[in-house]
Amino acid sequence: MPKTDIASLSREELKELIQSLGQPAFRSTQIYEWLRKGVSSFDEMTNVPASLRQKLVENCYISYAAIEKKLVSAYDDTKKYLFRFPDGEMVESVLMKYHHGFTSCISTQAGCRMGCTFCATGQSGFSRSLSASEMLAQLIAEQQDEHIRISNVVLMGMGEPLDNFDQVMRFLELVGDEKGLGIGMRHISLSTCGLVPKIYELADRHLQITLSVSLHAPNNQIRSRTMPVNRRYPVEELLKACRYYSDTTGRRISFEYAMIDGVNDSDACAEELGRRLRGIISHVNLIPVNAVSGTGYQKSKRQRMERFIDILGKAGVTATVRRTLGSDINASCGQLRRAAGSTNPSKEETAV
Ligand code: SAH
Ligand code: SF4
């Protein structure tokens, strides 16, 4: 029989497992606490009898995230982690400090299948999806490392969350447990490149999470060039799904728009975007694109971004430039893993 991923069990499921091993329920509370502290082996569960630990070793395994590398910004309190899972797979995560608390940007897959041309993750291929416990493990490792509590989570690291739908939904359940990390849906954002059928599926779950949609272009001509997913789900279909999402959940959608010099930042682009977004309860986040090596893209000039915001504003669409944090510690997710050990001090962080 395959071993159970014990950290992926809910508190109730863990209790059932422990009882099925002939043990009293309170042992499951002890084990749950250890797991939420991020132990990497059953041996570390010192208040659990050796005989039970042995049974656990035989039946279960622990998904934990080991810190392979950590970069600390000299400018602000941003930390960037490269985590290694027991099978050797590595993902990135970024921990940011805001006045309201700590926000962690975690990965949902090792790599990504979507192949966006401006994205370091998309350009370096796909290894595998992460389990819910591996998503949780990134948060736990950061909390333990920094002796803090994380209050907000953004699923905006490596990977496409809606391409790993079931495990992401499972993660959302686990992370909310008040005896565990206690991070509720209102404190979670999920970012997608636009897998339309999954946006409908998500809407129908009526969750209180924030949906971010990586739009990055106002029309199919430009979007299909930079985001291959657009050839499958064009802008019209994507925006229809977004309307459905905000109508169904009553939640405002956040559109991400990476400003790329000469590609998607003209006045005409802003005008078209303004027309397209009319009637959708939304907010546009403009992000100066991170110049990922090999892509040839450069960020738009500050004035261009301001002009873009003005045009959108006239069309009734609110837009702001997203603050960048950790500008000295290596770019949006994917670049650290891709660099495989070297740091690049001149890149900017993609941050909320
Ligand atoms: N796959 C999901 C979530 C992970 S990517 C998605 O695409 O939404 C997180 C965000 O970073 C997305 O908005 C993505 O478009 C953006 N991004 C990726 N590469 C970037 C770059 N080089 N510069 C700026 N933003 C980038
Ligand atoms: Fe994947 Fe998002 Fe990067 Fe596109 S932007 S390749 S969907 S991680």
Side-chain angles (χ1 to χ4, degrees):
M1 231 178 51
K3 290 187 176 187
T4 302
D5 174 3
I6 192 167
S8 75
L9 301 180
S10 67
R11 222 168 352 121
E12 201 45 45
E13 290 164 343
L14 183 63
K15 192 161 122 192
E16 281 164 23
L17 174 90
I18 297 305
Q19 286 175 329
S20 77
L21 295 174
Q23 300 289 324
F26 78 91
R27 292 284 177 217
S28 77
T29 308
Q30 294 174 323
I31 295 166
Y32 190 78
E33 282 168 5
W34 284 114
L35 291 171
R36 292 301 177 262
K37 277 187 199 148
V39 293
S40 56
S41 73
F42 293 107
D43 283 345
E44 290 166 66
M45 300 181 174
T46 46
N47 57 358
V48 174
S51 57
L52 175 53
R53 277 186 275 160
Q54 187 50 37
K55 274 195 187 156
L56 291 173
V57 169
E58 286 160 16
N59 293 289
C60 305
Y61 67 95
I62 302 176
S63 288
Y64 63 93
I67 300 171
E68 175 75 11
K69 195 175 177 96
K70 178 182 178 185
L71 300 181
V72 180
S73 170
Y75 301 157
D76 51 55
D77 280 313
T78 304
K79 313 259 142 59
K80 179 153 196 159
Y81 291 90
L82 181 64
F83 289 120
R84 183 192 283 275
F85 296 118
D87 70 349
E89 206 49 74
M90 290 195 276
V91 299
E92 297 176 20
S93 174
V94 179
L95 180 66
M96 294 157 285
K97 190 176 178 188
Y98 292 99
H99 59 274
H100 58 262
F102 288 92
T103 295
S104 177
C105 172
I106 60 167
S107 293
T108 55
Q109 297 182 311
C112 185
R113 274 192 259 256
M114 302 297 144
C116 302
T117 55
F118 48 80
C119 173
T121 304
Q123 291 306 299
S124 57
F126 177 77
S127 296
R128 66 173 175 83
S129 284
L130 302 192
S131 62
S133 54
E134 287 171 327
M135 295 174 216
L136 211 56
Q138 297 168 57
L139 299 174
I140 294 172
E142 288 167 6
Q143 291 201 152
Q144 290 301 117
D145 181 53
E146 286 285 318
H147 309 288
I148 49 136
R149 277 190 80 84
I150 291 167
S151 53
N152 291 271
V153 177
V154 295
L155 303 178
M156 256 200 195
M158 297 167 62
E160 168 48 48
L162 297 187
D163 186 37
N164 187 13
F165 195 85
D166 294 345
Q167 288 302 311
V168 166
M169 292 304 117
R170 177 79 182 155
F171 164 77
L172 294 178
E173 278 170 41
L174 294 177
V175 77
D177 180 17
E178 79 275 11
K179 292 268 166 47
L181 280 83
I183 304 171
M185 298 280 182
R186 286 183 173 277
H187 298 275
I188 298 175
S189 297
L190 182 155
S191 178
T192 179
C193 64
L195 296 180
V196 165
K198 296 291 176 190
I199 294 177
Y200 285 106
E201 210 175 323
L202 188 66
D204 289 337
R205 299 215 175 194
H206 298 275
L207 304 177
Q208 288 301 301
I209 59 172
T210 299
L211 182 65
S212 287
V213 173
S214 299
L215 195 54
H216 304 320
N219 58 44
N220 293 322
Q221 204 199 353
I222 302 175
R223 196 164 192 267
S224 291
R225 240 194 296 146
T226 52
M227 301 181 73
V229 67
N230 195 70
R231 293 175 209 149
R232 183 104 187 258
Y233 305 115
V235 173
E236 299 75 25
E237 279 184 39
L238 174 57
L239 294 181
K240 201 167 144 204
C242 290
R243 262 176 231 277
Y244 180 81
Y245 187 90
S246 66
D247 289 348
T248 309
T249 62
R251 310 274 302 167
R252 186 170 81 156
I253 294 192
S254 197
F255 287 104
E256 306 300 310
Y257 198 101
M259 297 284 285
I260 313 174
D261 186 33
V263 174
N264 64 355
D265 65 350
S266 66
D267 287 0
C269 284
E271 280 153 17
E272 193 173 2
L273 186 62
R275 280 196 301 277
R276 295 254 186 180
L277 297 187
R278 198 170 293 151
I280 304 180
I281 326 162
S282 63
H283 179 89
V284 175
N285 279 317
L286 297 182
I287 314 143
V289 77
N290 279 299
V292 173
S293 64
T295 64
Y297 294 133
Q298 295 301 325
K299 67 176 76 161
S300 306
K301 309 266 178 316
R302 183 88 209 175
Q303 282 148 303
R304 189 90 295 277
M305 297 184 67
E306 279 159 14
R307 171 105 181 119
F308 212 83
I309 291 175
D310 276 353
I311 296 173
L312 285 176
K314 288 198 182 100
V317 175
T318 57
T320 45
V321 176
R322 199 205 258 177
R323 191 158 69 104
T324 54
L325 292 178
S327 54
D328 56 333
I329 55 165
N330 208 339
S332 52
C333 274
Q335 297 204 1
L336 186 55
R337 178 173 175 264
R338 192 160 85 146
S342 71
T343 65
N344 182 344
S346 64
K347 303 282 169 61
E348 282 191 355
E349 194 59 59
T350 294
V352 286

